[in-house]
Amino acid sequence: MWDLLRVALRNVGRNKRRSLITAITVFIGVLVIAGTRGLLNGLQGEIRSALTQKMHGDLQLHKAGYQDSIDASPYKVMFPLDAALQQKLRDTPGVVAWSPRLRVLGLLNHQKSQTTVPVMIQAFDSVAETAVCPRLPASIVQGGMLVSGTERMEQVQRDDDLAEAQFFDPAQKARPKSIRNTSGQHQILVTPGLFRGFEAAIGDEVVLLLQDKNNMQQAVVAQIAGVLDYGLPNAQNRLIWMDAGTLARTLSLGDEISELAISIDKNATAEDMKPLLQARVGNTLVAETYLDITGFLRDAMTLQNVIFNAIVVIMFLIVVAAIVNTSLMTVMERTREIGTLMALGYQRKHILFLFLIESAAIGLSGGVAALIGVAAGIAYLGQTGMQFVLPGQTDATVLHPYVSVLFLSLVLALALLSAVIAAFLPAYKASHMRPVEALSKS
């Protein structure tokens, strides 16, 4: 066996051109497969990170029918965040933090441009929200993050100094002794689309017109604190954000919320945590992962993986076809050598193994060289990042490609298997030559 190995390695060095062509074929195949997977991992990793750390959290709790009713009847799908539910969350292993949210419909009026548009309002507590979605503050592209602690509800104030009151009739003799007015401080975040459409500036005053659960009209005067851009395709453009406490008090909602965003331990997965959380909260609420909520992106990533698998199959077939071609040419050029080996006592199985070992050695060398190059390139890009514009977005997203050692090992095994499979037919043909016929060919 060792003699076969030594002869095979010597033959690889002797047939430099054929060996180089085969090695380059394997090199390109491994480079395309491993490189594509690394870039795809970076893209999907960024989408997954954006969904969980910017928008949705790892999991969410909703009332049954939430997805179908939130746009039409948001008050029908609210549920109380009481002490019992919070205790269940604390008792669930793997749950790290949670953030209550309110989602209602309203009208947004930009005072400067006197433009009014319908919007979906998402309200949260800034401290709880950043614990669940730590990348949310980094998504502010203009202005700053709203801070729940600085919110101040309207309060009635008394002003006894009327010297500057210009709205009274100067001829009026009896003036009131005091005047009552209100003051408050509220902040909202808007999407880039709304900000551009209003031709707004940070600090502009807006009025939110709301309808509470009793069909009473409510209004909130606020200022634009910042512009928030999720940087994801299919993100809702007419969405604004405000403080949950302010919205709850305005609409007299008490402890009712629309959804509960949850972050989990980094060592746990949303798919594994979902049934555990569902068992804790019972049938009154529905636990959903970030992929359950974003069906479009889930289907897009599934399609990406299907296309990648098709690329792997195509590259596998190309590599096999190329190696078969070069191996057949090698057999035709080495017929006298094959005849000589058989005349020296080499059996058919020895000839078969000889060609298979040669092909495996060439495939292994090409695969290892490609993996070294891919691993170095992906490690560099993973550290520095690469800018990539996602479909439907104007701003570039920074991707960090990565690939697992297990996948690289599987690709190397696939390259080795491709080389062996491709060489089997030519090797079989060589092993079944008649020694006399092989020696008679020039």
mmCIF file of all heavy atoms in Angstrom, residues 125-143:
data_model
loop_
_atom_site.group_PDB
_atom_site.id
_atom_site.type_symbol
_atom_site.label_atom_id
_atom_site.label_comp_id
_atom_site.label_asym_id
_atom_site.label_seq_id
_atom_site.Cartn_x
_atom_site.Cartn_y
_atom_site.Cartn_z
ATOM 1 N N ASP A 125 -40.957 51.908 26.095
ATOM 2 C CA ASP A 125 -40.113 52.542 27.099
ATOM 3 C C ASP A 125 -38.672 52.427 26.619
ATOM 4 O O ASP A 125 -38.197 51.329 26.303
ATOM 5 C CB ASP A 125 -40.285 51.861 28.459
ATOM 6 C CG ASP A 125 -39.372 52.454 29.513
ATOM 7 O OD1 ASP A 125 -39.771 53.443 30.152
ATOM 8 O OD2 ASP A 125 -38.248 51.935 29.674
ATOM 9 N N SER A 126 -37.959 53.548 26.560
ATOM 10 C CA SER A 126 -36.634 53.550 25.934
ATOM 11 C C SER A 126 -35.650 52.631 26.650
ATOM 12 O O SER A 126 -34.814 51.987 26.007
ATOM 13 C CB SER A 126 -36.079 54.972 25.878
ATOM 14 O OG SER A 126 -35.949 55.518 27.177
ATOM 15 N N VAL A 127 -35.735 52.538 27.967
ATOM 16 C CA VAL A 127 -34.792 51.694 28.711
ATOM 17 C C VAL A 127 -35.060 50.221 28.429
ATOM 18 O O VAL A 127 -34.144 49.441 28.116
ATOM 19 C CB VAL A 127 -34.886 51.986 30.223
ATOM 20 C CG1 VAL A 127 -33.984 51.028 31.003
ATOM 21 C CG2 VAL A 127 -34.503 53.431 30.516
ATOM 22 N N ALA A 128 -36.331 49.817 28.529
ATOM 23 C CA ALA A 128 -36.687 48.414 28.280
ATOM 24 C C ALA A 128 -36.443 48.037 26.828
ATOM 25 O O ALA A 128 -35.984 46.928 26.527
ATOM 26 C CB ALA A 128 -38.150 48.174 28.660
ATOM 27 N N GLU A 129 -36.718 48.966 25.915
ATOM 28 C CA GLU A 129 -36.572 48.660 24.488
ATOM 29 C C GLU A 129 -35.115 48.451 24.106
ATOM 30 O O GLU A 129 -34.794 47.540 23.333
ATOM 31 C CB GLU A 129 -37.182 49.782 23.652
ATOM 32 C CG GLU A 129 -37.279 49.478 22.172
ATOM 33 C CD GLU A 129 -38.339 48.443 21.838
ATOM 34 O OE1 GLU A 129 -39.142 48.095 22.719
ATOM 35 O OE2 GLU A 129 -38.350 47.978 20.672
ATOM 36 N N THR A 130 -34.222 49.278 24.604
ATOM 37 C CA THR A 130 -32.808 49.109 24.270
ATOM 38 C C THR A 130 -32.212 47.868 24.922
ATOM 39 O O THR A 130 -31.206 47.342 24.447
ATOM 40 C CB THR A 130 -32.002 50.345 24.682
ATOM 41 O OG1 THR A 130 -32.273 50.661 26.054
ATOM 42 C CG2 THR A 130 -32.359 51.534 23.819
ATOM 43 N N ALA A 131 -32.817 47.380 26.003
ATOM 44 C CA ALA A 131 -32.363 46.119 26.595
ATOM 45 C C ALA A 131 -32.711 44.941 25.695
ATOM 46 O O ALA A 131 -31.950 43.972 25.594
ATOM 47 C CB ALA A 131 -32.985 45.936 27.976
ATOM 48 N N VAL A 132 -33.864 45.025 25.013
ATOM 49 C CA VAL A 132 -34.294 43.954 24.111
ATOM 50 C C VAL A 132 -33.688 44.136 22.718
ATOM 51 O O VAL A 132 -33.290 43.166 22.068
ATOM 52 C CB VAL A 132 -35.836 43.919 24.024
ATOM 53 C CG1 VAL A 132 -36.298 42.923 22.964
ATOM 54 C CG2 VAL A 132 -36.427 43.546 25.375
ATOM 55 N N CYS A 133 -33.626 45.375 22.246
ATOM 56 C CA CYS A 133 -33.106 45.685 20.912
ATOM 57 C C CYS A 133 -31.912 46.633 21.052
ATOM 58 O O CYS A 133 -32.046 47.854 20.854
ATOM 59 C CB CYS A 133 -34.194 46.313 20.043
ATOM 60 S SG CYS A 133 -35.629 45.247 19.776
ATOM 61 N N PRO A 134 -30.733 46.122 21.399
ATOM 62 C CA PRO A 134 -29.583 46.995 21.682
ATOM 63 C C PRO A 134 -29.084 47.785 20.480
ATOM 64 O O PRO A 134 -28.386 48.784 20.648
ATOM 65 C CB PRO A 134 -28.515 46.020 22.188
ATOM 66 C CG PRO A 134 -28.926 44.686 21.652
ATOM 67 C CD PRO A 134 -30.415 44.703 21.602
ATOM 68 N N ARG A 135 -29.417 47.370 19.260
ATOM 69 C CA ARG A 135 -28.954 48.100 18.084
ATOM 70 C C ARG A 135 -29.912 49.210 17.664
ATOM 71 O O ARG A 135 -29.648 49.911 16.684
ATOM 72 C CB ARG A 135 -28.762 47.131 16.905
ATOM 73 C CG ARG A 135 -27.582 46.170 17.069
ATOM 74 C CD ARG A 135 -27.415 45.296 15.837
ATOM 75 N NE ARG A 135 -27.165 46.089 14.640
ATOM 76 C CZ ARG A 135 -27.097 45.573 13.412
ATOM 77 N NH1 ARG A 135 -27.257 44.260 13.242
ATOM 78 N NH2 ARG A 135 -26.878 46.336 12.363
ATOM 79 N N LEU A 136 -31.005 49.376 18.388
ATOM 80 C CA LEU A 136 -31.977 50.398 18.014
ATOM 81 C C LEU A 136 -31.399 51.808 18.064
ATOM 82 O O LEU A 136 -31.570 52.582 17.112
ATOM 83 C CB LEU A 136 -33.218 50.297 18.900
ATOM 84 C CG LEU A 136 -34.352 51.270 18.585
ATOM 85 C CD1 LEU A 136 -34.914 51.000 17.192
ATOM 86 C CD2 LEU A 136 -35.465 51.177 19.622
ATOM 87 N N PRO A 137 -30.687 52.218 19.125
ATOM 88 C CA PRO A 137 -30.126 53.583 19.132
ATOM 89 C C PRO A 137 -29.165 53.841 17.974
ATOM 90 O O PRO A 137 -29.089 54.965 17.476
ATOM 91 C CB PRO A 137 -29.398 53.655 20.481
ATOM 92 C CG PRO A 137 -30.102 52.656 21.348
ATOM 93 C CD PRO A 137 -30.462 51.535 20.423
ATOM 94 N N ALA A 138 -28.446 52.806 17.536
ATOM 95 C CA ALA A 138 -27.513 52.981 16.415
ATOM 96 C C ALA A 138 -28.233 53.158 15.089
ATOM 97 O O ALA A 138 -27.607 53.532 14.088
ATOM 98 C CB ALA A 138 -26.567 51.788 16.336
ATOM 99 N N SER A 139 -29.546 52.897 15.059
ATOM 100 C CA SER A 139 -30.333 53.049 13.842
ATOM 101 C C SER A 139 -30.839 54.471 13.662
ATOM 102 O O SER A 139 -31.511 54.757 12.672
ATOM 103 C CB SER A 139 -31.525 52.079 13.861
ATOM 104 O OG SER A 139 -31.080 50.744 13.990
ATOM 105 N N ILE A 140 -30.557 55.341 14.629
ATOM 106 C CA ILE A 140 -30.941 56.744 14.496
ATOM 107 C C ILE A 140 -29.968 57.416 13.525
ATOM 108 O O ILE A 140 -28.782 57.540 13.805
ATOM 109 C CB ILE A 140 -30.906 57.471 15.855
ATOM 110 C CG1 ILE A 140 -31.803 56.743 16.877
ATOM 111 C CG2 ILE A 140 -31.333 58.908 15.706
ATOM 112 C CD1 ILE A 140 -33.260 56.767 16.553
ATOM 113 N N VAL A 141 -30.472 57.846 12.375
ATOM 114 C CA VAL A 141 -29.604 58.429 11.346
ATOM 115 C C VAL A 141 -29.549 59.950 11.438
ATOM 116 O O VAL A 141 -28.639 60.577 10.868
ATOM 117 C CB VAL A 141 -30.070 57.994 9.941
ATOM 118 C CG1 VAL A 141 -29.870 56.498 9.761
ATOM 119 C CG2 VAL A 141 -31.527 58.373 9.685
ATOM 120 N N GLN A 142 -30.513 60.563 12.118
ATOM 121 C CA GLN A 142 -30.494 62.001 12.366
ATOM 122 C C GLN A 142 -31.115 62.259 13.733
ATOM 123 O O GLN A 142 -32.014 61.539 14.168
ATOM 124 C CB GLN A 142 -31.298 62.761 11.298
ATOM 125 C CG GLN A 142 -30.594 62.922 9.972
ATOM 126 C CD GLN A 142 -31.401 63.772 8.999
ATOM 127 O OE1 GLN A 142 -32.012 63.238 8.075
ATOM 128 N NE2 GLN A 142 -31.401 65.064 9.185
ATOM 129 N N GLY A 143 -30.658 63.308 14.389
ATOM 130 C CA GLY A 143 -31.213 63.621 15.696
ATOM 131 C C GLY A 143 -30.729 62.648 16.753
ATOM 132 O O GLY A 143 -29.602 62.154 16.705
#
